[in-house]
Amino acid sequence: MSQIRKTVRVCMVLALTLFLGSCGGGGGASAPGPSSMVGNPGSTALMLTASPAALSLPAGASTTFNLGVSPVSYSPVVVTLAKPPVGMQVSTNAGATAGSGTQSVTLTTTTAVVVGTYSLTLDGSSGGQSASVQLTVQVQPALPASFVQIEQHTFNYFWNTTNASNGLAPDHYSTANGPSPYASIAATGFALSAYPIGVQNGWVTRAQAAQRVLTTLNFLYDAPQGSAASGTSGDEGFFYHFLDLSTGVRYGTTTGLSSVDNALLMAGVLFDASYFNDGSSTDNQIQTLANALFRRVNWQWMAQSDYPLVNLDWTPESGFSPYNWQGYNEAMILYIEALGSPTYALPASAWSGWTATYPNFWGTYYGREQLSFGPLFGSQYSEAWIDFRGIQDAFMRSKGIDYFINSRRATESQQAYAEANPGGWTGYGADLWGLTACDGPGNFSFTAGNGQTRTFKGYYARGAGIQDSFDDGTIAPTAALSSIVFAPGIVIPTIQAMQADYGSYILGQYGFHDAFNPSFQYSGVTPYSGAVVPGVGWVDSEYLGIDQGPILLMLENYRSGFVWNVMRQNPDIQLGLQRAGFTGGWLAGTPTVQ
């Protein structure tokens, strides 16, 4: 399985943060950045700032933002919402420290609030002074209660299946055989991001999460590095794509130092560096280790074939892959990290090299103009951590959109593709779609009585796009569900339909099994995993860490924007975006909702 997944990723290349999305087709209105209005003139006038000043949340949910108070002697202030819409209210934290100059404010909505975007005024008063601050609030479609349960079950995947003694997350977990004997460093990156989500929702304590993170970072930092073919965990700050789940050293003789999987690992490392920041001894240790791990990743060393483009991987047996990462695909976060490195940064020309192939993938696909990449994970991986709403690089500025809008269009065009159903697959339609890299029934070909041959794959990068498409009728729930931030209006009904029609077969203790295929009704064959259920089709028995991760992070981003909010504070990510030429939006203090 490990070599299959590695080959799939190579073949795909060769063939080629409190803000959330709605399902509309156009861009969103700009919202003010941290802003203030003076209540009474004079040197001691109260001033308020809101950060962020644009919020997004589903109806029936709540979210928290920071209120800055100046002069600090006025804090905490009493706040009220002027002319609150029906079903919306604010409350301040009871424990605000006098004279701190900051306090948190919670905005709560009920399901009675009308979906839409609101311009609100928050009034504050203290010490005889008053002031107001403007907020833009986007209310999204309500999230069904079952989705929160799915999020918790998906969190449990990382909490329960990860090796607690070293923090490594298994590549996959089988209902029959348990965790895989090898860990995925990309899945470990998602696991590192999962633990603070558990804290925010009360599923684990902050102390439990901090200890798990500290265990993971300590193990990674101390794991042996070097160029030997065995007995090491990586080299030049990179880790092997697959590590032995118990020992943490290279698994097998084929896995390499995958640059993009390391980028996903480092996304989790940087996320924890920004989240654990309370100044305690434990948090200081986490920040020190996280920063040290990120700083020793030698991006320049991994850019050998055509500097400054980054090679796919390196192995002791074959050296550097002759192929590089060029856009558009999941490696966007790789270049942002490499550009933001304090130690081995690539030059800004790396981003222009990355985007040089974009024109080959720009066009109209099923009625939507977009930068196209067939499998939806290409959009979801980078955007699980980074909020691209309102920020644009040179290419997106030239097109008048941003990567978030682009991902919305990609999501919508996948639904439109399924409705058209050019392959004639069973069940495809407005409520059954979702193509991405995932498990499949196996490598089989069958010829029907009409002479039509059906070809199926095991683990493979399925997708529908301008340049890269493969579809064998296999649906991955993560493809749709991890796009909820982009297009909730079509994702929520799709997932509800999956639950209603297939839930008893595809839902388990850790949420959705990786994939299913209603068209695979062939008996007398042994699938790679799972089973063929008469009248239902092939149903997987595995959960994949790299598919579980986007589900968890994107559901939380939809509910609260939590992951995006934390990651926006990371200086290395900020610097990487700026060196790539991103401007506007939250980078300029003017966040947007769309």
Side-chain angles (χ1 to χ4, degrees):
M1 180 67 75
S2 62
Q3 182 59 38
I4 291 172
R5 292 202 179 106
K6 175 183 174 184
T7 302
V8 165
R9 179 163 287 150
V10 172
C11 288
M12 285 304 303
V13 174
L14 292 176
L16 316 142
T17 317
L18 221 44
F19 319 132
L20 305 162
S22 67
C23 62
S30 294
S35 57
S36 64
M37 294 178 60
V38 178
N40 294 315
S43 59
T44 59
L46 173 65
M47 297 183 68
L48 304 176
T49 59
S51 179
L55 311 172
S56 184
L57 74 167
S62 63
T63 191
T64 301
F65 61 95
N66 290 325
L67 186 68
V69 181
S70 179
V72 297
S73 58
Y74 285 118
S75 65
V77 300
V78 177
V79 297
T80 57
L81 194 59
K83 298 180 180 178
V86 174
M88 191 180 299
Q89 65 180 14
V90 295
S91 60
T92 58
N93 59 326
T97 303
S100 66
T102 186
Q103 63 194 82
S104 64
V105 178
T106 299
L107 175 77
T108 302
T109 65
T110 70
T111 54
V113 69
V114 177
V115 172
T117 301
Y118 298 82
S119 295
L120 303 176
T121 299
L122 186 71
D123 295 327
S125 62
S126 177
Q129 293 283 311
S130 62
S132 301
V133 64
Q134 301 303 306
L135 294 172
T136 298
V137 177
Q138 183 184 50
V139 179
Q140 303 273 34
L143 195 66
S146 64
F147 284 47
V148 181
Q149 185 179 52
I150 289 171
E151 183 183 349
Q152 183 175 5
H153 289 172
T154 307
F155 166 80
N156 288 340
Y157 169 86
F158 292 104
W159 188 256
N160 294 340
T161 70
T162 295
N163 185 342
S165 67
N166 59 24
L168 296 178
D171 173 72
H172 62 273
Y173 180 91
S174 167
T175 56
N177 302 314
S180 59
Y182 51 93
S184 157
I185 59 167
T188 301
F190 282 115
L192 287 169
S193 301
Y195 306 139
I197 293 174
V199 176
Q200 293 302 110
N201 287 282
W203 300 329
V204 294
T205 67
R206 195 177 193 280
Q208 287 175 310
Q211 186 55 57
R212 179 69 66 87
V213 169
L214 192 57
T215 295
T216 309
L217 299 184
N218 268 315
F219 184 84
L220 292 172
Y221 185 77
D222 293 334
Q225 292 258 319
S227 59
S230 62
T232 63
S233 301
D235 197 17
E236 295 289 339
F238 291 88
F239 291 90
Y240 284 103
H241 185 177
F242 297 113
L243 301 174
D244 187 284
L245 187 63
S246 298
T247 65
V249 299
R250 184 190 189 195
Y251 186 84
T253 59
T254 59
T255 186
L257 304 178
S258 167
S259 54
V260 73
D261 288 278
N262 275 274
L264 300 178
L265 172 63
M266 289 301 144
V269 168
L270 292 176
F271 179 78
D272 287 335
S274 292
Y275 176 78
F276 292 98
N277 62 358
D278 69 2
S280 66
S281 174
T282 299
D283 281 23
N284 288 342
Q285 290 180 68
I286 288 173
Q287 289 189 328
T288 297
L289 285 166
N291 289 329
L293 282 165
F294 182 66
R295 280 153 177 73
R296 78 180 188 188
V297 178
N298 191 343
W299 303 102
Q300 296 172 2
W301 174 81
M302 189 60 85
Q304 292 290 326
S305 299
D306 188 13
Y307 185 87
L309 296 179
V310 177
N311 291 79
L312 267 63
D313 68 359
W314 175 91
T315 64
E317 294 81 8
S318 303
F320 292 98
S321 164
Y323 306 109
N324 305 309
W325 286 107
Q326 284 189 282
Y328 169 66
N329 51 52
E330 75 271 29
M332 186 158 57
I333 196 169
L334 179 157
Y335 280 100
I336 290 168
E337 290 178 6
L339 288 166
S341 171
T343 47
Y344 298 106
L346 295 178
S349 57
W351 191 261
S352 58
W354 156 257
T355 60
T357 56
Y358 274 15
N360 298 331
F361 302 95
W362 178 265
T364 299
Y365 191 72
Y366 280 87
R368 291 156 181 85
E369 194 174 30
Q370 62 189 273
L371 186 61
S372 175
F373 181 73
L376 282 175
F377 77 86
S379 299
Q380 296 160 351
Y381 280 4
S382 296
E383 296 197 52
W385 283 283
I386 302 175
D387 184 2
F388 284 96
R389 260 172 304 186
I391 63 174
Q392 298 171 309
D393 63 358
F395 184 87
M396 286 299 171
R397 279 192 294 273
S398 74
K399 300 300 183 182
I401 62 171
D402 55 40
Y403 287 100
F404 184 92
I405 294 174
N406 192 77
S407 295
R408 174 187 297 157
R409 294 178 181 179
T411 303
E412 292 172 342
S413 65
Q414 269 222 11
Q415 184 199 43
Y417 166 87
E419 289 181 291
N421 195 10
W425 299 107
T426 301
Y428 275 28
D431 291 340
L432 187 64
W433 54 272
L435 303 178
T436 193
C438 66
D439 276 352
N443 296 322
F444 302 104
S445 290
F446 301 97
T447 301
N450 61 4
Q452 182 186 29
T453 299
R454 291 292 206 187
T455 298
F456 300 90
K457 298 286 187 182
Y459 184 85
Y460 202 79
R462 296 162 174 86
I466 291 173
Q467 292 281 5
D468 44 319
S469 297
F470 177 77
D471 181 13
D472 65 354
T474 301
I475 296 294
T478 186
L481 190 49
S482 300
S483 291
I484 190 169
V485 296
F486 307 129
I490 64 173
V491 167
I492 292 174
T494 295
I495 298 303
Q496 288 179 307
M498 286 186 190
Q499 291 172 304
D501 297 339
Y502 299 97
S504 59
Y505 304 102
I506 64 176
L507 280 168
Q509 68 180 120
Y510 295 130
F512 281 107
H513 293 289
D514 195 58
F516 63 105
N517 191 321
S519 298
F520 196 93
Q521 299 277 352
Y522 305 97
S523 60
V525 298
T526 302
Y528 275 14
S529 61
V532 178
V533 180
V536 175
W538 172 78
V539 179
D540 200 5
S541 60
E542 291 186 347
Y543 304 91
L544 267 61
I546 58 173
D547 287 343
Q548 294 285 87
I551 290 175
L552 176 63
L553 272 62
M554 288 304 207
L555 274 172
E556 189 59 37
N557 278 330
Y558 184 72
R559 292 175 61 204
S560 69
F562 171 65
V563 181
W564 287 336
N565 294 338
V566 170
M567 209 60 159
R568 285 204 316 272
Q569 310 307 315
N570 187 272
D572 299 319
I573 293 297
Q574 292 175 6
L575 182 59
L577 288 166
Q578 290 162 353
R579 285 177 172 168
F582 283 88
T583 58
W586 59 267
L587 282 171
T590 55
T592 62
V593 293
Q594 297 171 342

